Amino acid sequence: MFLTCMETVTKELVSWMRGHESSVFSISVHASGRYAITTSSDTAQLWDLDTFQRKRKLNILQSVGIQKVFFLPLSNTILSCFKDNSIFAWECDTLSCRYQLPAPPESSSILYKVFAVTRDGRILAAGGKSNHLHLWCLEAKQLFRIIQMPTKVRAIRHLEFLPDSFDAGSNQVLGVLSQDGIMRFVNIQTCKLLFEIGSLDEGISSSVISPHGRYIASIMENGSLNIYSVQALTQEINKPPPPLVKVIEDLPKSKLNSGGLKIKVTTGRVQRPAKSRENKIQTRILKQDLAGSFENKENELSDGLNKKRLQVLLKGYGEYPMKYRMFIWRSLLQLPENHTAFSSLEDKGVHVAFLNLQKKYPIKSGKLLRVLQRTLSALAHWSAIFSDTPYLPLLAFPFVKLFQNNQLICFEVVATLIINWCQHWFEYFPNPPINILSMIENVLAFHDKDLLQHFIDHDITSQLYAWPLLETVFSEVLTREEWLKLFDNVFSNHPSFLLMTVVAYNICSRAPLLNCSLKDDFEYFFHHRNNLDISVVIREVYHLMDTTPTDIHPNSMLHVFVALTKGQYPVFNQYPKFIVDYQTQERERIRIDELDYLRERQMVEDMQAEVDQQRVEDEAWYQKQELLRKAEETRRELLLQEEEKMIQQRQRLASVKRELKVKEMHLQDATRRRFLKLQQDQREMELRRLDDEIERKVHMRDREIATTAKDLEMRHLELESQKRHYEKNLIRNQEAVAKEMREDANAFRRKVDLEEHMFHKLIETDQTQNQKTQEWEEAKEKDFHLKSEKKASALADASRKWFLEKEINDALEHAEHLYSKAVPSYPNGQVASSGAPRTSQLDDISEMDSSTCISLNQRRIQWDTMERDLVERVRNLRQRLTVQARNRRQPPHLLATQRA
């Protein structure tokens, strides 16, 4: 959780403060505006509003919560109220415990929830979940009254005293907001219900009273905001003050008991407790002492202080205590705290004369500059002369810095200073107050003629050795502590004390001043801090006040102290009005002339601006055209460069393509070579298989021939037994030969089909490698050659088949012919006997066998010839394929040349 500090005029964030871990429900600001206390449920923290830094932190036990921690008005006392009904008073500077309030009586013990304090800080009102109100006297530190609210009141949600302009801070009317949403205003002395706001139908959620006590702002439970006029609600609050009386005798505190404390609130006539004869208060009317009226008026201060006693205290200690200084100053100056009048001045805003204040006085702190600007503006709105007073910022700055957190007090302190300690300063306006400076010079001439003669010898006037000290009220030559100590004495004495301080400062500094001879040295001396004891200066001032003759004493020429009036500030016209009016008129005329001049200059500047704008536009147009031309040239150059780059890229791309093409061709050639090698290997394997097949067939042929020879031999031995089986054997041989021929034909056909399949596969592979046209032509040529070869092989197979069939048929016919010749048939079906004709038959058979052998030999010769032709054809096919593979590896143009 963190707190933010905002500027009320500019709505700007000034600072933020971090330190609370839970939500903050109470903020209390010290009367001087320098310190603030923030309260949460677990801790209370003390902040320095000058630096926005945390000074101290109040930590408590978790079992004891905090109800409220706040400053008592017009004092340095902090009051802390806890949830266990304990109330402690602490010293603001040291945070030491000053006292603790005793516990309330058991007959009316309530848990305190809400609190309120009168403006003089003497009475504390406390309430909670009860219809009882406890009134504590903080001076006597005891409970002096218990007020019982009506029975309708069961709990009290808010308490606030109603301010009054005539009660000197001892507020008598207390506003009590209860749980029913009605706020009742009770006189705590008479316990009479004066008036109430809100109703059961339109209850009040929260309420606050204006500082001057004229209005009450309430937030209703339905969300609306109501503002009530106290004057319209009751006339009793605004009644005139009672006659001036003084209490001679009062009840002793010891006679107060709890039984006599409790008083009920009544709504009829004002009721007061019955008084016994023994306790009857004796009063007497004060008679005005004409001889001592002036002294009483001067010495009697508000808030119970006495000026004579303060002067005695000041002479004894040299200064007022730091923690009570602001309170004492406000009492000495009798500040009226006219909130309404100051608000009306403040609402007029920043005066035109101080709009550019930061240019002439560059103050580092923005907050301090804003407070100074508003204070000077309020002074200028109060009296017109202050808008033209050049030294007013120097005069007001130390007080602004001291009271920057309370602008009302700051304004009234400066205004009181001007009315009393700046008397006759403006009679020679706009020149320095020559009459005041003459008083100072006369006093200096009486007390230190040598120093004055030294000033005269070096042409140093009172405007150099006195006026710088007055217009800055010694803030340039003194430190903060020295300045505060000096003004403790200035505000406690006659207004002539300030003029005597100027003389005393010069007399106490006579040694270094007598050593100065240059005007610049004197100017530096009276505008910078010097090694001077302010206590010695103050003692010298008192000495001068006592020893100065009456005829030259400023005391006889200046009026006594006059405080600001309450309600409205007095009219300040102690200046040559005609000069101020003339200056105002001249300033107005100069302002009008300046406005006319500014208007004409604005017109000239506008015309010049138009001409400059036109010239700038023309120059911009020409520059734009030049830039466009340069841009066009640049883009042309870029275009040429891009074209050159594109040409180079195309060349590189073409070279890359060529390289890729060459790589592709190499890959294709490598693939083709691998394929051809594979094909060649397959062909070689096929040829080897064919060779093996031929060898097998030759071997089979030899075996058949051997078998046939053996058969022939067996026929010689077993002709008759083989006669019947000859036909079967012949048929078996025929079938074997036909089967072999069919196997040969099928093998050759499978071989041709395989070659054709490999060829088509080669064509498909070549087609996927972007050489479809060339490969297609080659494929067509191969297909043509293969078809031609197939036709030739088919014709050869057909012719061979026809030849084999013809030979078989011829052999069969020849065998049948021989058989018919060898075994002639007889008409009766008889067979020739085995006599002589048997020999001729054997001869015929031998002849047949010899002819059969001849025919077999011829057939063997034919087989050998066919085998040689087949081998020759295979060899030619190999050569052709080799030439084709070599042609594929050659460049296209060489291949085309070869084709041509």
Side-chain angles (χ1 to χ4, degrees):
M1 298 293 295
F2 60 90
L3 302 170
T4 57
C5 184
M6 308 295 294
E7 175 62 41
T8 57
V9 178
T10 61
K11 278 75 173 180
E12 295 179 353
L13 177 64
V14 177
S15 179
W16 57 271
M17 300 171 286
R18 187 185 299 274
H20 284 280
E21 297 180 356
S22 57
S23 60
V24 176
F25 57 78
S26 173
I27 299 177
S28 176
V29 181
H30 191 265
S32 65
R34 183 176 180 183
Y35 303 108
I37 294 177
T38 57
T39 308
S40 60
S41 60
D42 56 350
T43 183
Q45 301 187 18
L46 178 64
W47 302 88
D48 188 345
L49 297 182
D50 291 337
T51 61
F52 298 101
Q53 299 293 325
R54 184 176 64 188
K55 291 191 63 177
R56 301 294 290 271
K57 180 178 180 181
L58 174 62
N59 293 321
I60 62 171
L61 298 176
Q62 294 182 354
S63 59
V64 182
I66 298 177
Q67 286 290 2
K68 191 174 183 181
V69 180
F70 54 94
F71 285 105
L72 289 181
L74 305 177
S75 68
N76 280 348
T77 303
I78 300 174
L79 210 63
S80 61
C81 307
F82 300 95
K83 292 184 178 180
D84 59 353
N85 273 16
S86 59
I87 300 176
F88 293 86
W90 310 84
E91 183 65 33
C92 176
D93 296 332
T94 62
L95 289 184
S96 59
C97 183
R98 297 183 60 183
Y99 57 84
Q100 178 183 2
L101 296 181
E106 296 182 359
S107 60
S108 180
S109 178
I110 59 175
L111 291 177
Y112 295 151
K113 296 290 185 181
V114 290
F115 306 89
V117 182
T118 57
R119 292 186 64 191
D120 57 4
R122 295 180 180 180
I123 297 176
L124 171 67
K129 285 189 176 182
S130 174
N131 64 343
H132 287 185
L133 279 176
H134 288 188
L135 300 180
W136 292 86
C137 178
L138 297 181
E139 291 181 343
K141 305 177 184 58
Q142 64 179 2
L143 181 67
F144 75 94
R145 182 164 298 164
I146 299 175
I147 300 177
Q148 183 179 358
M149 299 296 294
T151 56
K152 298 178 182 179
V153 178
R154 297 190 305 271
I156 298 174
R157 292 162 49 187
H158 180 66
L159 292 175
E160 188 170 1
F161 281 98
L162 183 65
D164 191 356
S165 302
F166 303 100
D167 58 8
S170 58
N171 310 126
Q172 303 296 315
V173 179
L174 177 63
V176 182
L177 177 62
S178 57
Q179 88 289 341
D180 55 1
I182 300 176
M183 191 168 186
R184 300 170 175 85
F185 288 84
V186 181
N187 189 309
I188 62 174
Q189 298 296 331
T190 63
C191 297
K192 179 181 178 181
L193 180 62
L194 303 178
F195 63 92
E196 61 184 27
I197 57 177
S199 62
L200 296 177
D201 297 332
E202 191 178 2
I204 298 175
S205 176
S206 61
S207 183
V208 64
I209 304 175
S210 62
H212 49 75
R214 295 183 180 179
Y215 302 101
I216 303 172
S218 300
I219 299 177
M220 315 306 289
E221 292 178 350
N222 59 7
S224 62
L225 176 65
N226 291 357
I227 298 179
Y228 300 92
S229 173
V230 177
Q231 186 177 4
L233 291 172
T234 179
Q235 295 296 329
E236 186 168 344
I237 303 212
N238 295 324
K239 64 183 179 179
L244 183 62
V245 297
K246 186 173 182 180
V247 177
I248 303 301
E249 184 178 355
D250 201 355
L251 288 175
K253 299 295 182 180
S254 59
K255 293 185 179 181
L256 294 174
N257 52 44
S258 60
L261 295 178
K262 191 172 181 179
I263 303 176
K264 292 185 178 181
V265 174
T266 60
T267 58
R269 298 179 60 184
V270 177
Q271 296 182 3
R272 294 179 177 84
K275 299 179 182 178
S276 61
R277 295 181 177 179
E278 295 81 9
N279 296 336
K280 185 176 180 180
I281 301 175
Q282 299 179 3
T283 62
R284 64 180 178 88
I285 300 176
L286 294 178
K287 297 181 180 180
Q288 295 183 353
D289 187 3
L290 298 178
S293 61
F294 179 77
E295 183 179 357
N296 292 333
K297 183 179 179 181
E298 183 180 3
N299 294 330
E300 291 295 330
L301 302 176
S302 60
D303 303 320
L305 298 180
N306 186 277
K307 189 173 182 179
K308 289 293 184 181
R309 294 181 180 179
L310 289 176
Q311 289 177 344
V312 172
L313 177 66
L314 182 63
K315 288 184 179 180
Y317 292 95
E319 60 180 334
Y320 293 127
M322 177 64 69
K323 57 184 177 181
Y324 299 114
R325 174 176 280 126
M326 299 300 105
F327 173 70
I328 295 174
W329 280 18
R330 292 167 64 176
S331 300
L332 289 172
L333 299 179
Q334 302 178 25
L335 302 181
E337 299 185 21
N338 298 327
H339 293 273
T340 305
F342 178 73
S343 298
S344 64
L345 294 175
E346 195 176 32
D347 293 341
K348 294 180 181 179
V350 179
H351 197 276
V352 65
F354 303 106
L355 288 175
N356 299 320
L357 183 66
Q358 68 276 8
K359 295 181 179 180
K360 189 174 181 181
Y361 299 98
I363 301 175
K364 185 177 180 180
S365 173
K367 174 187 175 183
L368 192 60
L369 177 64
R370 290 190 295 270
V371 175
L372 177 62
Q373 193 177 41
R374 285 196 289 268
T375 303
L376 297 178
S377 299
L379 291 170
H381 292 311
W382 175 42
S383 180
I385 190 174
F386 297 127
S387 62
D388 295 325
T389 306
Y391 56 85
L392 186 63
L394 300 175
L395 180 71
F397 180 74
F399 299 98
V400 170
K401 191 173 183 180
L402 187 63
F403 298 100
Q404 57 181 315
N405 294 317
N406 195 331
Q407 299 178 35
L408 170 64
I409 301 300
C410 178
F411 171 80
E412 292 185 350
V413 168
V414 176
T416 305
L417 177 73
I418 292 174
I419 290 177
N420 292 278
W421 283 271
C422 298
Q423 297 179 39
H424 308 295
W425 279 28
F426 307 99
E427 294 179 358
Y428 294 90
F429 183 82
N431 298 316
I434 300 175
N435 50 351
I436 299 297
L437 299 179
S438 299
M439 296 181 194
I440 296 173
E441 187 171 352
N442 292 334
V443 176
L444 180 62
F446 178 79
H447 291 282
D448 198 338
K449 295 181 181 179
D450 295 337
L451 181 59
L452 179 61
Q453 187 62 40
H454 180 71
F455 288 153
I456 295 172
D457 294 342
H458 293 85
D459 197 17
I460 303 301
T461 62
S462 58
Q463 296 185 19
L464 184 57
Y465 67 81
W467 182 236
L469 301 177
L470 289 177
E471 66 178 356
T472 61
V473 287
F474 293 88
S475 61
E476 287 185 344
V477 297
L478 298 178
T479 62
R480 174 186 172 89
E481 290 74 16
E482 293 173 346
W483 187 87
L484 292 173
K485 188 175 182 179
L486 172 63
F487 270 83
D488 285 342
N489 293 270
V490 171
F491 288 153
S492 301
N493 289 278
H494 192 271
S496 61
F497 191 89
L498 183 63
L499 305 183
M500 290 297 189
T501 305
V502 176
V503 179
Y505 187 86
N506 281 271
I507 293 175
C508 294
S509 304
R510 67 188 313 274
L513 289 174
L514 292 175
N515 292 327
C516 295
S517 58
L518 300 177
K519 187 176 182 180
D520 294 338
D521 296 339
F522 287 102
E523 290 180 354
Y524 183 86
F525 184 87
F526 290 104
H527 285 280
H528 293 81
R529 295 176 183 175
N530 302 291
N531 187 16
L532 188 64
D533 188 0
I534 191 64
S535 301
V536 176
V537 176
I538 294 174
R539 287 196 298 270
E540 182 65 23
V541 175
Y542 282 109
H543 174 71
L544 296 177
M545 291 285 290
D546 295 337
T547 58
T548 301
T550 306
D551 55 344
I552 62 173
H553 201 296
N555 195 3
S556 61
M557 306 174 193
L558 300 179
H559 301 294
V560 296
F561 174 82
V562 177
L564 296 177
T565 57
K566 285 185 176 293
Q568 294 294 332
Y569 296 115
V571 177
F572 184 82
N573 55 3
Q574 299 176 7
Y575 57 87
K577 191 173 185 301
F578 69 94
I579 295 179
V580 176
D581 293 342
Y582 174 75
Q583 286 190 349
T584 304
Q585 295 174 1
E586 285 295 315
R587 187 169 60 252
E588 184 66 20
R589 184 184 61 80
I590 292 172
R591 187 180 67 83
I592 295 174
D593 293 342
E594 185 178 0
L595 290 176
D596 295 338
Y597 166 73
L598 291 175
R599 192 179 302 108
E600 294 177 358
R601 189 178 70 177
Q602 185 65 33
M603 293 175 59
V604 174
E605 289 178 354
D606 293 341
M607 295 175 62
Q608 184 66 32
E610 291 179 0
V611 174
D612 294 341
Q613 181 68 23
Q614 186 65 32
R615 186 175 67 254
V616 169
E617 290 178 357
D618 294 341
E619 292 179 357
W621 186 83
Y622 286 118
Q623 290 179 359
K624 188 175 182 180
Q625 295 298 321
E626 183 67 21
L627 291 174
L628 290 175
R629 186 184 62 79
K630 291 182 179 180
E632 184 178 1
E633 293 178 356
T634 304
R635 278 154 181 76
R636 286 181 180 175
E637 293 178 357
L638 292 175
L639 185 59
L640 293 176
Q641 293 177 1
E642 291 296 329
E643 289 179 354
E644 185 68 23
K645 290 181 180 179
M646 188 177 296
I647 292 172
Q648 294 177 0
Q649 289 179 357
R650 286 178 179 174
Q651 292 177 355
R652 288 195 296 270
L653 183 60
S655 62
V656 171
K657 285 184 177 180
R658 285 195 299 270
E659 292 177 359
L660 291 176
K661 192 70 175 178
V662 170
K663 290 182 180 179
E664 184 179 1
M665 292 175 64
H666 288 329
L667 291 174
Q668 290 177 356
D669 291 339
T671 305
R672 191 179 298 109
R673 284 195 297 272
R674 286 195 300 271
F675 177 74
L676 290 176
K677 187 175 183 302
L678 178 62
Q679 190 177 18
Q680 185 176 358
D681 294 340
Q682 291 178 354
R683 296 289 177 84
E684 289 177 356
M685 290 176 64
E686 184 67 22
L687 290 175
R688 284 194 297 271
R689 189 179 65 79
L690 290 175
D691 292 339
D692 295 338
E693 186 70 20
I694 291 171
E695 289 178 359
R696 186 179 62 80
K697 288 183 178 182
V698 170
H699 182 65
M700 288 176 64
R701 185 192 61 187
D702 293 340
R703 278 194 313 179
E704 289 178 359
I705 293 172
T707 303
T708 304
K710 289 180 181 180
D711 289 340
L712 289 176
E713 291 178 359
M714 291 297 295
R715 283 174 186 174
H716 287 289
L717 300 175
E718 300 176 355
L719 179 60
E720 291 181 358
S721 63
Q722 294 294 331
K723 178 181 177 180
R724 296 178 180 176
H725 297 286
Y726 177 77
E727 187 176 0
K728 185 183 293 185
N729 292 332
L730 185 60
I731 292 171
R732 187 175 62 248
N733 291 334
Q734 183 181 358
E735 289 178 357
V737 173
K739 185 177 180 181
E740 289 178 2
M741 295 297 292
R742 284 194 300 272
E743 288 178 356
D744 292 340
N746 291 332
F748 188 80
R749 190 177 295 109
R750 285 194 301 272
K751 171 186 168 186
V752 172
D753 291 338
L754 181 60
E755 290 178 355
E756 185 178 2
H757 176 70
M758 294 300 292
F759 176 74
H760 285 295
K761 187 175 181 181
L762 179 61
I763 290 174
E764 291 176 359
T765 306
D766 294 337
Q767 285 176 352
T768 58
Q769 298 175 351
N770 299 323
Q771 292 181 353
K772 294 182 179 180
T773 305
Q774 179 180 355
E775 295 298 329
W776 180 251
E777 293 177 357
E778 293 178 0
K780 287 174 67 178
E781 290 180 4
K782 289 182 180 180
D783 188 29
F784 177 75
H785 288 298
L786 288 175
K787 286 181 179 180
S788 300
E789 290 178 0
K790 285 174 68 177
K791 289 180 181 181
S793 62
L795 290 175
D797 292 339
S799 61
R800 184 173 58 182
K801 184 177 181 183
W802 176 80
F803 178 75
L804 289 175
E805 289 178 356
K806 184 177 179 299
E807 289 294 327
I808 293 170
N809 292 330
D810 291 341
L812 291 175
E813 289 177 1
H814 182 68
E816 290 177 357
H817 179 70
L818 292 178
Y819 183 75
S820 63
K821 286 183 178 181
V823 186
S825 59
Y826 296 99
N828 296 327
Q830 298 177 356
V831 180
S833 61
S834 58
R838 175 80 175 173
T839 306
S840 62
Q841 291 177 357
L842 292 173
D843 292 336
D844 291 335
I845 291 171
S846 63
E847 290 178 0
M848 183 187 64
D849 293 334
S850 62
S851 63
T852 301
C853 291
I854 293 170
S855 63
L856 289 174
N857 291 330
Q858 290 177 355
R859 194 178 301 164
R860 180 183 299 172
I861 293 171
Q862 290 176 357
W863 276 102
D864 293 338
T865 304
M866 289 175 62
E867 288 177 3
R868 285 194 298 271
D869 292 339
L870 183 59
V871 171
E872 185 64 26
R873 287 172 60 188
V874 171
R875 187 180 294 111
N876 292 333
L877 181 60
R878 284 181 177 177
Q879 291 178 358
R880 196 181 305 116
L881 292 175
T882 304
V883 172
Q884 288 178 1
R886 189 181 301 112
N887 291 334
R888 289 191 187 95
R889 289 193 296 271
Q890 290 179 357
H893 63 278
L894 295 179
L895 185 60
T897 304
Q898 290 180 1
R899 288 180 181 175

